[in-house]
Amino acid sequence: MNYTYDDQNVFAKILRGEIPNKTFLETEYALAFEDIAPQAPIHILVIPKGPYVNYDHFANAASDEEIVGFTRAIGQVCEKLGVQPSHDGMGYRAIANTGDAGVQEVPHLHIHILSGRVLGRMIPKGS
Ligand code: AMP
């Protein structure tokens, strides 16, 4: 693992309060906010507060507390959205785009939580 975190990325600036965001939920370990260009009626981004480039960086380098705290925050976001199937929610998709193949635009780990409609196939056939 050899990652260099760019602290000038847009989500780092959001975490430092240098640019605004529409906060949905905040915990000690995570910030959840509305995606600026929503791809579904519900489109929330959940980011860890620590400087992690992507999911494998986070999974390998973050502390147990950060991993638990971030994962719990995702659970809290789903609960606040009311999308959990266990509570009659309609379900959701959680996506972590990573690197070139994943077409990741912002080099700070973020989990997209998408819902509000049936989202279709994960990857369109033939793409
Ligand atoms: P990804 O391709 O997974 O890196 O997605 C980055 C996401 O960040 C896209 O869905 C963008 O619409 C979103 N995004 C970029 N800048 C902002 C911003 N300032 N506030 C909220 N969402 C943003």
Side-chain angles (χ1 to χ4, degrees):
M1 182 180 47
N2 184 22
Y3 287 118
T4 303
Y5 181 78
D6 170 16
D7 68 4
Q8 293 306 306
N9 78 74
V10 65
F11 294 168
K13 291 180 180 178
I14 285 177
L15 283 170
R16 290 194 297 268
E18 293 169 7
I19 59 175
N21 74 92
K22 290 188 177 171
T23 298
F24 182 71
L25 183 144
E26 183 168 11
T27 73
E28 182 179 352
Y29 296 100
L31 179 68
F33 53 95
E34 295 178 20
D35 195 291
I36 202 167
Q39 304 292 308
I42 293 172
H43 191 167
I44 299 292
L45 300 173
V46 192
I47 66 174
K49 290 192 170 174
Y52 302 104
V53 173
N54 60 29
Y55 198 84
D56 63 270
H57 186 204
F58 180 73
N60 287 310
S63 68
D64 291 359
E65 289 77 12
E66 289 175 297
I67 291 171
V68 171
F70 181 62
T71 305
R72 294 281 191 227
I74 292 171
Q76 289 171 30
V77 166
C78 292
E79 190 174 343
K80 188 170 174 182
L81 289 169
V83 294
Q84 323 98 299
S86 61
H87 289 67
D88 288 334
M90 72 184 303
Y92 59 93
R93 182 168 293 154
I95 300 173
N97 294 322
T98 304
D100 293 340
V103 196
Q104 180 180 7
E105 292 173 9
V106 180
H108 181 114
L109 170 61
H110 49 285
I111 306 293
H112 297 256
I113 305 290
L114 297 147
S115 186
R117 65 173 168 81
V118 177
L119 297 161
R121 297 178 69 92
M122 186 168 68
I123 299 172
K125 258 186 178 171
S127 70

